[in-house]
Structures are given as structure tokens and as C-alpha cells.
Amino acid sequence: MTVLFTPSAEQKAKSQMGVFADLLKRKYPVELEDYQALQQWSVQNLTTFWRELWAFAGVQGNPGETVLEQSTMPGARWFPEARLNFSTNLLHVGRDADTALIAISETRHEHRYSYADLRQAVARLAGFLRHECGVEPGDRVAAYLGNTPEAIIGMLAASRIGAVWTSASPDFGYEGVLDRFGQVEPKVVIAGNGYGYGGKAIERTGVAKSLQAALPTVRQWVQVDTLPSADVIDGAWQWEEVVNREWPVAPPLELAFDHPLYILYSSGTTGKPKCIVHGAGGTLLQHAKELRLHGDISQDSVFFYFTTTGWMMWNWLASGLMTGASLVLFDGNPMYPRSDVLWQLADKLGITHFGTSAKYLSACRKQDLEPGKTFDLSALSTVFSTGSPLAPEDYDWVYSALKPDVMLQSISGGTDIVSCFVGGNPWSSVVRGKIQGANLGMDVQAWNEAGEKVVNQRGELVCAQPAPCMPIGFWNDPGDERYRAAYFERFDGVWAHGDFIEFDDAGQAVIHGRSDTTLNPGGVRIGTAEIYRQVETLTEVADSLVVGQAVDGDVKVILFVQLPEGQQLDKALTGRIRQRIRENTTPRHVPADIVQVPAIPYTRSGKKVELAVTQILRGEEPANLTALSNPESLQAYRDYYAGL
């Protein structure tokens, strides 16, 4: 075990988690000397924990008397008597003159909104939605936008009047957007007319015009000039016209705790994406816990996350407003016009909390970037990483190439809960290759096939007690049949997430990849992340994908590798890859075949698409290519299958 960073006693005490723990110790007869003790107390005293969190976070609204009406999953009802407004809670902390949003884009000049500017724009857009568009509580407001201020304002205005917010990033084409918005039937769509990426201007007016004919429920379209030279969406209101006009007031509505707030979408690689509905209160409380207690984000923070509006990390970033922090919104290519542009931004803006994907950190390492030597990162206190397991070598890179005293938090959860099951915290040491532990209030365990809790061995990631962030259901799912099938069929009444996880005695964890794309060579269950962790440490390998192919009653493990441009896979490299895997895992992990491909397929939220390739190797065609950011990459796998 290699400890890379340990917070000081002073840092622990001054953190918001430290303040929260002190309050608990004064109120209850409990010893909370380390994070593991606090986490265990939180799940053993579930209702007390969530009520105390409500008070500590200063949630605006009435919690009522009951915290948890019944604990059966699915069906647990949290704070059934509570009334609150999500938008109010995100906007009540920030002082008028403080900076709320700093927007960076490839196609527009840097723009800043104070909290006063933000409140005014939200109020005006809410008035427009309510009085001009006739939006009622429960109606859907959709956005086809990048990570821009207009998306944040739109979400806050919609939630102010009880509408349900949903979004798709502009890198989705027509079918990808229609697969999502067509299911939820929005009343209003806010659409950008294009975006910039890697120095290229990509127009989206044509897609919007096609969507106008395909979405008959939409009463009004609002156009945002994200690409100033692009065409106009027919009949659309112009954004500036809406937010610069005084509309009749639409006051914030006090709504039920489980009033629908967001519709998020599964990746949709096996068909139309599932529409996952999240409640306002559960999202608010969960994000308050994660951002304030775990992330230690406050009014003095500058919070950045590289994300699109099609990834749940955008919703997580937006909730940062509840702390009074300044949010940095970046809409563009993270490697353009230079490969260290985001670290340059961290220097320029004094970013304190920097969030990104594991893939991005790996790319920085493989390009031998050393931002800590190039830029002033003295303000940087925390780095968040998610999207896939973070390789041990990337932990090393953070502490050698960024700074030695940063808190690196590898976090893991998903769209399913619009938050995290496991992650970091300001009390625990950062151990190379490990996540610091299960989050507070989340009864996360590793279970074996028999449904028994295991420690120091890999098991299914389960949540054995309900959490407020669990979805209120799927859209258009009578009887919650698909919802139950997705999470509760494996173990009755227990959430099974579909990941392999392993906890050690100290409560620290390793994610071993998805269990629903498990490899089973010779009947031995292998998580794909175990192989990626070895392969992607090799500088000769730019990226990789591992799948299993059924052959003669067994599973053949096939590793596809993408190499740096101009390089070819030869026997020497193939041998080094196999040796690395064998030495650091087991002979069962060693792939039968290693195949070079031009590119690895990814979803638009940055996840490797193992299942689509598995389908191709079964002679099937993946059902929904619009979910992929690079569907053309699949041709190489079709060619490989055709040549077998």
C-alpha cells in the first residue's frame, strides 16, 4: 500500500466534514475519530444522518416530521411531508456581487455572471416559461446546448416553476436527440445554433429545424447564438430577447421532496436510452453532502468540471451554486489549442476544485505534461476524477506532475443516481490506486454470488439501504417494471449497480469494471478494468478495449489496442502486453488475441463501449449507434469479425 497524501489534523478539523462531525459529537454520544467511523455511523443511523445533513446544509424549505416513510426498495419515500424549491436552494447562498459563472468557449468571448445577474436572468426566463409558454409543474423543458450559462439559467428557471429539466449536448445528431426528447415530449426547447470544437465551427441549426417537425409537443423554441454566424431557427425566440425583457413574475414553487427535477438518459447502446427521473429533494440533499462534506467546496471555491450537458457531471457541477462557489463552464476541446489548456485555465482563474475524467488524466500522463512546473497551481486543492477507474500510474502522475499536497478524489456512481456511491473525503489518506471509501449515508458493500458481504475480495457493488438520490422511476414505465429489472432483480430489495468493487479492511475501494460485461474465461469472472489497469500503463498503447467472445462453450478474451499514430503492433509489443497482464494479474486475464484498431468506441459521456463490440462479435448489429461519439470506429470490429 502506497500512501500518496494524508491531510493534516488542521485540514481535517477545518473542513466542512470536520465541522459537521463536531456538531454530531456534541449532540450524540458517538466517537467519530476517523472517516470509517463516521461513515459507519451514517448508515447505522440513516434517518438521523439525513435530517442532520438537511440542517447543516441550510436547506431552504420545510423538512416535515418524517424522514423515511418506509425502507423497502424500491419504493422508499424520503421526507414525505417536505416542501422545497431546488432553484431557490441553489441561489440563496451566493452574494449578489460574487461571481457565479465564468464561461469559456471556443466560439464566444469569456463571459461572467454575478449571482445578482444570475438571479435576474433566472427570474425573467421563469416568467417567460410560465406566462408566455404556459409551462406548468411537471412539464418538460429541454435544452440542446453545450456547457454554457444559458443551460444553467434554463435549468434554474425550469426548476423554479416545477418543470422537469432535460438536456442533450450539441455533439448529438438528430437521431440521438430525438431518441431522448421524443420520449419525454418537452413543451419548450432551448437550442444553440452550433458549437466549436478543436478549432472547427459545427452548425446545429439544421438539426434543430428537423427536430421542430419531429417534436409536436413543443410550443416554443428559444435560440441561443452559441455560434454567432449560424442560421436562425424558424419561429424561435431569441435568447437575448427573452432575458432582457420584463415578464410577469413567476415565483418559486414549494414542491414535494420527490417532485421530478431531472430526466437523465442511460447511454442507450442497446436500444433507445432509458429515461431516468430524479427527484428535486434527493438530488439536492445528495449533492449538498457530496459537494460540501466530501468535496469541501465553499463560498471561497472556484469549481471546474470538464463535462457536457449530456453527462451527469454537468448536473453535479451546476449544484455547486448551492455552496456560493464560482463555477467555471468550459465548452470546447480540452486539448485545444494546446494540450494543457485546462491547466492553463486553472492558473488563470485560480481554480480550487478541478474535475475531469480518468481518461483525460491518462492522456496528460501519456503526453508527459507537467502542469505543476508550467503553471501556478497554488490555488488548486482538490482534483476529482470519474468516468472510469483511475489507473495507479495516473495517481502517481497527479502527485508528481501537478502538486504533492493536492487531494485526489476518484469518485464513482452514475447517471442512475446522478451522484456517487463511493468517492473521496477530506479526512482520509489517498492510497495509490484506491478510492477512499463509501460515501456518507450510502450503505455500499461488496457481495458475492450468495448475497454475502465480502471484504478483501471482489464482489458486486450493492447498496443495502435506500438513499434519497435513487431515482423516483423511469419515464413511461408502468408498475416500475423496467426500473425494478434494472437494479433490484439480482438481489431482492437491494440495489445492485452492475459494477465489481473490492473493499479493504480500511474501507478503501477499487472498482474492477462493469459486472454486466464480465469476462468468464474457464468460468472465472474477470472485470475488464483489471486488464485496462495493466495495458494502459504502457506508453506504447494509447487506448484499449477488452471483450469476451463465446467460442466452443467458453469465453475467448480479445484485447483491441489503439496505438499512437504511425505505430504498428508487432510481436515484441504483443509480448510486452501479455507479460504485463500475466505478471500483475493472473494467466486467466491474458487475452487470447491482441488486435490493433484505429480507434476505441466511446459513448458521448466518455465511457468505453464494450457491449456494442461484444454484439458485433456475436454477429449482431448494435441497436443504437447515436449513443456513440464515434460510431465509425465500429467498422474495424466488423471487419475483424468478418475475417474470423
Side-chain angles (χ1 to χ4, degrees), residues 383-551:
V383 173
F384 300 113
S385 169
T386 193
S388 59
L390 186 64
E393 289 73 17
D394 295 325
Y395 281 74
D396 296 338
W397 179 85
V398 166
Y399 284 97
S400 64
L402 291 183
K403 56 190 301 191
D405 60 348
V406 73
M407 173 59 76
L408 174 59
Q409 295 195 6
S410 178
I411 62 179
S412 182
T415 300
D416 319 76
I417 59 168
V418 69
S419 59
C420 306
F421 282 115
V422 294
N425 67 78
W427 277 18
S428 296
S429 296
V430 178
V431 177
R432 183 178 188 263
K434 293 200 173 186
I435 296 172
Q436 287 166 289
N439 279 10
L440 297 179
M442 308 297 284
D443 193 2
V444 182
Q445 303 173 19
W447 281 17
N448 63 18
E449 292 284 332
E452 300 164 331
K453 180 180 177 180
V454 295
V455 178
N456 293 317
Q457 67 182 77
R458 185 185 59 205
E460 294 281 346
L461 189 162
V462 304
C463 194
Q465 296 186 76
C469 57
M470 290 176 179
I472 57 177
F474 291 170
W475 189 260
N476 194 23
D477 182 23
D480 286 336
E481 289 185 9
R482 288 186 297 150
Y483 178 44
R484 289 175 182 273
Y487 309 113
F488 300 102
E489 281 191 346
R490 182 72 189 277
F491 303 109
D492 187 37
V494 171
W495 178 292
H497 192 57
D499 276 345
F500 281 135
I501 193 168
E502 179 178 346
F503 288 101
D504 64 19
D505 292 321
Q508 299 229 354
V510 174
I511 299 284
H512 290 289
R514 294 293 294 174
S515 60
D516 52 10
T517 51
T518 305
L519 307 175
N520 289 278
V524 178
R525 288 160 61 86
I526 293 174
T528 55
E530 298 172 77
I531 296 175
Y532 295 138
R533 194 169 289 120
Q534 303 308 320
V535 175
E536 293 177 14
T537 61
L538 294 164
T539 56
E540 305 100 310
V541 178
D543 207 348
S544 64
L545 184 92
V546 63
V547 298
Q549 183 184 27
V551 178

Side-chain angles (χ1 to χ4, degrees), residues 124-332:
R124 288 179 174 175
L125 182 59
F128 167 80
L129 293 173
R130 178 70 192 90
H131 297 289
E132 180 64 29
C133 306
V135 173
E136 302 278 355
D139 286 342
R140 278 74 63 206
V141 175
Y144 184 37
L145 279 171
N147 186 11
T148 65
E150 293 85 0
I152 299 284
I153 293 164
M155 179 274 289
L156 292 169
S159 61
R160 177 184 172 105
I161 59 174
V164 187
W165 178 258
T166 192
S167 57
S169 58
D171 55 340
F172 279 99
Y174 168 76
E175 289 185 4
V177 181
L178 185 61
D179 280 350
R180 289 156 175 77
F181 294 174
Q183 293 187 71
V184 302
E185 299 179 306
K187 186 173 279 187
V188 176
V189 176
I190 304 170
N193 54 6
Y195 66 102
Y197 195 83
K200 297 179 181 178
I202 302 164
E203 189 165 343
R204 279 295 183 246
T205 313
V207 173
K209 289 180 177 181
S210 298
L211 289 169
Q212 285 183 305
L215 297 173
T217 62
V218 179
R219 291 190 183 179
Q220 299 286 1
W221 287 74
V222 179
Q223 175 171 327
V224 181
D225 284 335
T226 45
L227 196 63
S229 61
D231 199 0
V232 175
I233 301 169
D234 298 333
W237 286 80
Q238 295 300 302
W239 175 266
E240 298 299 331
E241 182 183 5
V242 171
V243 296
N244 289 330
R245 180 168 163 180
E246 294 286 351
W247 299 93
V249 175
L253 300 180
E254 298 285 304
L255 300 160
F257 187 85
D258 60 358
H259 183 82
L261 168 72
Y262 289 138
I263 297 175
L264 275 65
Y265 305 96
S266 67
S267 57
T269 54
T270 57
K272 284 190 177 182
K274 295 187 291 287
C275 306
I276 305 171
V277 186
H278 290 288
T283 303
L284 180 70
L285 264 190
Q286 180 79 340
H287 287 183
K289 177 196 69 180
E290 293 183 342
L291 297 169
R292 294 191 58 176
L293 298 186
H294 288 271
D296 205 29
I297 298 173
S298 70
Q299 212 160 1
D300 299 323
S301 301
V302 180
F303 178 27
F304 165 82
Y305 216 106
F306 176 67
T307 182
T308 72
T309 55
W311 190 20
M312 60 137 290
M313 297 315 300
W314 179 86
N315 306 80
W316 205 71
L317 171 65
S319 287
L321 292 168
M322 75 171 74
T323 69
S326 300
L327 305 189
V328 178
L329 311 178
F330 180 85
D331 187 33

Side-chain angles (χ1 to χ4, degrees), residues 625-641:
L625 299 184
T626 63
L628 274 62
S629 63
N630 56 343
E632 69 284 351
S633 66
L634 293 180
Q635 188 56 47
Y637 304 87
R638 297 187 188 99
D639 294 343
Y640 169 78
Y641 177 72

Side-chain angles (χ1 to χ4, degrees), residues 319-370:
S319 287
L321 292 168
M322 75 171 74
T323 69
S326 300
L327 305 189
V328 178
L329 311 178
F330 180 85
D331 187 33
N333 185 326
M335 294 283 184
Y336 177 85
R338 46 189 286 176
S339 57
D340 57 3
V341 65
L342 296 187
W343 303 112
Q344 183 183 41
L345 205 61
D347 176 345
K348 175 186 174 185
L349 301 179
I351 290 171
T352 60
H353 292 72
F354 184 105
T356 186
S357 65
K359 181 184 176 185
Y360 173 77
L361 294 177
S362 176
C364 290
R365 173 177 59 82
K366 291 186 175 184
Q367 293 193 32
D368 295 322
L369 299 184
E370 294 184 298

